[in-house]
Amino acid sequence: MGRIMMKKAVKIGIGAIALLSVCIIILCVFFPPSGKSSSQSDYPVLEDSPFAISRDLEFPRYVTSSDLIVDATVRQVLPEMSEVYVPEEGSPEQKIQEQQGLGDYVFEHRPIELEIHDVWTGSVDSPTLTLRIPAAEYQSVPDFQPGDRLIFFLSYVQGIYYLSDPRGGLYYVAFDDKVYPTFLFETIKEYSGKKVGDFKRDVQGAWAQKDTPPEP
């Protein structure tokens, strides 16, 4: 009799544990613990430099004006560098330089090395690339730290990657795979809090219209 009662008690105990586990899972799914969901307030919203001349574009314009859009993580932030800018032979910049008798232009920038997780638009041959932030844009970008994951809208000029537009082409990626713009204004605020997959579809949908002629 004692053994039978013990077996019943064990079965009841196992059943209670299983029921409790199911209840915990349901509660976690439908009522997630506080602090487990990201929000725009978790990420700094940047402001324009008082010397910046900028205007808000429609979101598709930020997409189509880019050469490459990637989901990437900051590997390292390199020390500031200075280089002499040499315009391409025959380029408008070279003609202006010659006509106005301008000397060499010293280009100051901060290199940011990125590890690419996913290429959304365009193409790149390497899993890493170096983004250059010109000194004039230091106030228009976050304080990049190794491990930061963002969506980068990039331009490719003479073998160098730049942000196509810091105001509408840079998005934080949160731990729960939601994206948040670094600048928040009317034409892009609807993308704040979107899941990465949904945002990727929006980007690729806009990119598909890049070479489509406008309707008459």
Side-chain angles (χ1 to χ4, degrees), residues 90-140:
S91 68
E93 292 83 359
Q94 187 198 39
K95 292 178 181 178
I96 293 173
Q97 190 178 45
E98 290 178 350
Q99 290 171 359
Q100 298 186 6
L102 301 175
D104 293 335
Y105 175 69
V106 179
F107 173 60
E108 296 184 353
H109 65 276
R110 179 172 293 124
I112 310 292
E113 188 175 315
L114 304 179
E115 179 179 354
I116 301 170
H117 305 304
D118 191 13
V119 177
W120 288 12
T121 67
S123 61
V124 62
D125 297 329
S126 171
T128 62
L129 64 80
T130 299
L131 165 67
R132 299 193 187 187
I133 307 295
E137 294 182 356
Y138 286 174
Q139 294 185 18
S140 301

Side-chain angles (χ1 to χ4, degrees), residues 39-197:
S39 69
Q40 180 73 60
S41 62
D42 296 331
Y43 297 90
V45 174
L46 305 179
E47 296 182 358
D48 287 318
S49 163
F51 305 104
I53 301 175
S54 58
R55 61 192 180 94
D56 301 343
L57 304 177
E58 295 296 324
F59 177 74
R61 288 284 301 278
Y62 292 112
V63 174
T64 57
S65 63
S66 302
D67 298 315
L68 176 70
I69 299 177
V70 297
D71 176 349
T73 295
V74 176
R75 290 186 64 181
Q76 59 178 329
V77 179
L78 300 171
E80 187 177 54
M81 299 177 63
S82 296
E83 295 181 10
V84 176
Y85 171 68
V86 180
E88 288 185 344
E89 188 70 26
S91 68
E93 292 83 359
Q94 187 198 39
K95 292 178 181 178
I96 293 173
Q97 190 178 45
E98 290 178 350
Q99 290 171 359
Q100 298 186 6
L102 301 175
D104 293 335
Y105 175 69
V106 179
F107 173 60
E108 296 184 353
H109 65 276
R110 179 172 293 124
I112 310 292
E113 188 175 315
L114 304 179
E115 179 179 354
I116 301 170
H117 305 304
D118 191 13
V119 177
W120 288 12
T121 67
S123 61
V124 62
D125 297 329
S126 171
T128 62
L129 64 80
T130 299
L131 165 67
R132 299 193 187 187
I133 307 295
E137 294 182 356
Y138 286 174
Q139 294 185 18
S140 301
V141 298
D143 180 20
F144 292 114
Q145 299 296 325
D148 289 348
R149 180 186 171 195
L150 298 98
I151 308 301
F152 296 84
F153 289 34
L154 304 175
S155 293
Y156 188 65
V157 182
Q158 296 188 31
I160 299 173
Y161 288 100
Y162 304 97
L163 291 171
S164 58
D165 189 325
R167 301 188 77 253
L170 200 54
Y171 298 78
Y172 307 105
V173 180
F175 64 89
D176 53 359
D177 273 356
K178 292 181 181 179
V179 299
Y180 299 99
T182 56
F183 280 81
L184 196 61
F185 47 88
E186 191 65 31
T187 58
I188 64 170
K189 68 180 183 180
E190 67 178 277
Y191 299 97
S192 176
K194 272 206 168 188
K195 297 294 286 186
V196 168

